[in-house]
Amino acid sequence: MTLFDSPAFEGHEGVHAFYDEKSGLKCIIAVHSTARGPAAGGCRMWPYASAEAALEDALRLSRAMSYKNAMADLALGGGKAVILGDSRTGKTPALFEAFGRAIEDVAGKYWTAEDVGVSPADLMHARTQTRYVAGLTGHAAASGDPSPVTAEGVFRGITLGVRRALNRDLAGVTVAIQGVGHVGAYLADKLHAAGAKLILTDVNDDALREVARRTGARTVAPAAIFDVEAEVFAPCALGGAVNAETLPRLSAKVIAGGANNQLSDPEIGRAVHDRGLLYLPDYVINGGGIINVAGEIRAIERGEAFDPAWVEMKLARLMQTLEEVLERSASEFRPTHEVAGEMASARISLAAEHKAAA
């Protein structure tokens, strides 16, 4: 199968591959849509098994970013960058400087920020080579690490989901969190403060112990998180956590987390609905981070200081959109991912029509 025949490529405007021999950079930048504005999405660094696996991830993630930015009502399209490599051993300033030059070569069609395996400090090196980097610190327009805002949106979404599915608040509710990286750790702190009981897992034992220590959480092995008794399952690691093998093992009534592409495929979303579980679409619930990044891009383009009030306004509006998705799903007896997908696609199509007519 060629790239153009791949279902994941459908709808993409462009895919860019870069290699820098001196630094060892191997990266892919996928631009799904610029209908609503320049594509924006984080950069992920991961030891992919193959270039094909990295490409598939970039394509799926960039499309999800188009949907996420549309549902957050941002003047941004969707894109994603992936760097092939181990973030624990392969990071160097030269690598991220080369990544910055790669972004610059895309000529303003793509803005990057942090994602799995990449930190604001890493992207400061990329920023020396291109202006199209957000989620940083140290300048008037800077928004900083977007992870806390992502976690805040997920927390508000879980609160809404628990209220709808269980008719209660978070006090005493057990939440199983898969992954306690930046977003998962911040989410655990918020849930703990709200009185939830936590069960955590992560492949990073040090991070797992630290979050468990401060939240009083129980920890389990990564493979066991699907078998625990919990009202909420919060995937906050890599995609595909909810699949044909794991779904029958879940006791949760609500699936809501910070990970991207939580459903392995659309059919799983229908299976979730048929089992009576409430799934809060990931590209809606985890949109807080890109809203924060959009606030920085907005400030840079206007030559203004970063405005936290604008971010809060957009985050509150996003929660209203989430409620609309859940209301339509309930009234139409349809899976939430189908309702959200239709809404996002309609927003992108409308923007594309306006762009073509301009």
Side-chain angles (χ1 to χ4, degrees):
M1 179 183 292
T2 68
L3 170 64
F4 300 106
D5 296 324
S6 170
F9 179 75
E10 184 180 1
H12 276 78
E13 295 180 10
V15 180
H16 311 264
F18 296 92
Y19 173 61
D20 181 72
E21 184 176 7
K22 187 174 181 180
S23 67
L25 174 75
K26 296 178 181 179
C27 80
I28 297 168
I29 298 175
V31 175
H32 179 260
S33 172
T34 58
R36 296 179 60 88
C43 171
R44 172 172 297 185
M45 186 172 184
W46 192 256
Y48 292 99
S50 65
E52 290 76 15
L55 175 60
E56 182 77 10
D57 203 27
L59 293 172
R60 292 192 68 195
L61 290 166
S62 62
R63 179 192 290 128
M65 287 308 306
S66 286
Y67 281 31
K68 183 183 298 189
N69 293 337
M71 292 301 273
D73 193 27
L74 302 175
L76 295 172
K80 203 75 175 186
V82 298
I83 295 175
L84 288 75
D86 191 330
S87 63
R88 296 169 298 181
T89 59
K91 290 183 179 181
T92 64
L95 182 93
F96 282 95
E97 288 168 4
F99 176 56
R101 292 192 292 273
I103 294 171
E104 187 67 18
D105 280 350
V106 183
K109 290 186 177 181
Y110 170 69
W111 283 80
T112 199
E114 303 84 40
D115 195 18
V116 176
V118 176
S119 71
D122 298 325
L123 291 183
M124 288 295 291
H125 298 294
R127 186 66 172 79
T128 64
Q129 306 298 313
T130 182
R131 67 189 291 264
Y132 301 108
V133 180
L136 302 180
T137 58
H139 59 90
S143 62
D145 182 359
S147 300
V149 189
T150 303
E152 175 63 22
V154 176
F155 172 75
R156 295 186 192 185
I158 290 176
T159 303
L160 174 61
V162 167
R163 188 164 63 244
R164 291 186 68 95
L166 305 175
N167 194 31
R168 57 182 296 189
D169 61 23
L170 288 174
V173 169
T174 300
V175 182
I177 303 179
Q178 180 197 37
V180 289
H182 284 184
V183 173
Y186 285 121
L187 176 62
D189 291 337
K190 291 175 180 294
L191 291 168
H192 172 64
K197 300 177 182 178
L198 303 180
I199 304 173
L200 311 177
T201 196
D202 199 287
V203 296
N204 185 327
D205 290 336
D206 291 339
L208 184 61
R209 281 193 294 268
E210 171 55 26
V211 178
R213 180 196 63 76
R214 66 176 186 253
T215 61
R218 178 162 70 93
T219 64
V220 297
I225 196 68
F226 305 102
D227 304 307
V228 301
E229 291 293 325
E231 286 90 355
V232 180
F233 175 56
C236 294
L238 297 180
V242 184
N243 54 55
E245 191 276 325
T246 60
L247 177 58
R249 297 161 57 187
L250 294 176
S251 64
K253 296 299 182 184
V254 178
I255 299 175
N260 293 311
N261 296 327
Q262 293 168 22
L263 305 179
S264 61
D265 55 69
E267 288 71 26
I268 288 296
R270 179 156 288 280
V272 167
H273 178 262
D274 291 344
R275 285 170 59 92
L277 280 62
L278 180 62
Y279 168 62
L280 279 63
D282 48 55
Y283 53 82
V284 184
I285 191 175
N286 67 12
I290 194 62
I291 289 174
N292 204 62
V293 167
E296 180 171 337
I297 295 172
R298 175 177 178 269
I300 291 171
E301 299 285 26
R302 295 183 173 204
E304 300 173 351
F306 178 72
D307 183 5
W310 183 89
V311 172
E312 172 56 34
M313 178 270 292
K314 283 291 189 181
L315 188 59
R317 187 178 298 172
L318 179 64
M319 291 300 108
Q320 294 173 355
T321 299
L322 177 60
E323 289 199 71
E324 181 182 349
V325 170
L326 300 184
E327 288 286 351
R328 283 186 53 184
S329 171
S331 64
E332 299 171 12
F333 304 101
R334 299 170 59 210
T336 56
H337 78 287
E338 291 184 4
V339 173
E342 287 181 4
M343 291 173 63
S345 293
R347 293 182 179 190
I348 294 168
S349 295
L350 182 61
E353 290 173 7
H354 288 166
K355 182 177 180 181

